[in-house]
Amino acid sequence: MSICYIALGSNLEDPFAQANRAIAALHQLPQTTVTNISPFYRSKPLGPQDQNDYLNAVVKLNTTLSPTELLDQLQSIEKSQGRVRKNNRWGARTLDLDILLYDNLIINTDRLTVPHYHMQHREFVLYPLYDIAPDLTLPDKQKLSDLVNKCPKNGLKKWEE
Ligand code: ROI
């Protein structure tokens, strides 16, 4: 059984509803249990500023799915919630589900980079992760608490709905 942390992001078509639907879908995954959910945050867009604020959160899972199987499942949830994948690497999205951490694995394949690319510097990942895993250490031995202390909040606040 493995422990994973999933980052959730949305800035289109009712992010609060998207997040709740995504969490309901995570609860339905095979071989998987949702064991913790962070508070929801409102963050400033990273990338072009002419897009809505994001809802961001982190979900903790126990799973016996492999990293690739989990990725397949997350992409199918994204797709069922209207995610369109094309030329919008820095653009708005209805739902993003990213594998942040999978046990202490370091994965670098065409489809998957774990720990997630740039998570060490993103306030909208570090703060919700810290809420549910304050004692976490990353595979490269960095303490999450040190990363959080070095990371400006950049306007990050709790989501009000
Ligand atoms: N910006 C914020 N604040 N939150 C995200 O989840 C997010 N996701 C993205 C880009 C477009 C890079 N910007 C983001 O993919």
Side-chain angles (χ1 to χ4, degrees):
M1 209 256 327
S2 295
I3 298 177
C4 310
Y5 294 90
I6 308 298
L8 185 161
S10 169
N11 78 336
L12 281 181
E13 292 171 46
D14 193 349
F16 186 74
Q18 297 291 347
N20 284 310
R21 275 178 71 193
I23 289 166
L26 292 172
H27 276 287
Q28 298 305 315
L29 287 185
Q31 300 170 231
T32 304
T33 316
V34 174
T35 57
N36 214 340
I37 303 168
S38 77
F40 292 174
Y41 284 87
R42 175 182 291 276
S43 62
K44 295 289 160 210
L46 174 69
Q49 295 298 297
D50 60 341
Q51 56 180 319
N52 300 332
D53 285 354
Y54 277 78
L55 184 155
N56 285 113
V58 172
V59 179
K60 183 180 184 185
L61 305 178
N62 287 349
T63 190
T64 56
L65 296 172
S66 70
T68 319
E69 288 169 338
L70 180 60
L71 179 65
D72 289 337
Q73 294 283 347
L74 298 180
Q75 290 187 344
S76 112
I77 296 171
E78 288 177 342
K79 224 169 153 187
S80 77
Q81 292 189 215
R83 172 76 179 268
V84 181
R85 260 179 202 280
K86 57 173 185 207
N87 300 326
N88 70 340
R89 174 138 193 254
W90 295 96
R93 61 263 332 270
T94 52
L95 181 66
D96 217 359
L97 291 173
D98 293 327
I99 302 174
L100 293 174
L101 297 168
Y102 187 105
D103 291 333
N104 266 322
L105 290 186
I106 295 173
I107 305 170
N108 283 297
T109 63
D110 285 349
R111 290 189 67 202
L112 202 49
T113 302
V114 178
H116 192 259
Y117 195 62
H118 286 165
M119 67 172 280
Q120 283 94 331
H121 308 291
R122 293 186 170 178
E123 74 284 356
F124 54 84
V125 171
L126 294 177
Y127 283 85
L129 180 59
Y130 183 74
D131 285 331
I132 60 173
D135 298 325
L136 200 72
T137 303
L138 302 199
D140 67 0
K141 308 288 183 214
Q142 291 189 89
K143 284 178 163 175
L144 179 60
S145 58
D146 291 339
L147 294 170
V148 167
N149 285 327
K150 279 187 286 189
C151 185
K153 279 194 127 172
N154 189 29
L156 185 76
K157 55 189 181 205
K158 293 273 165 68
W159 186 274
E160 314 259 0
E161 187 78 16

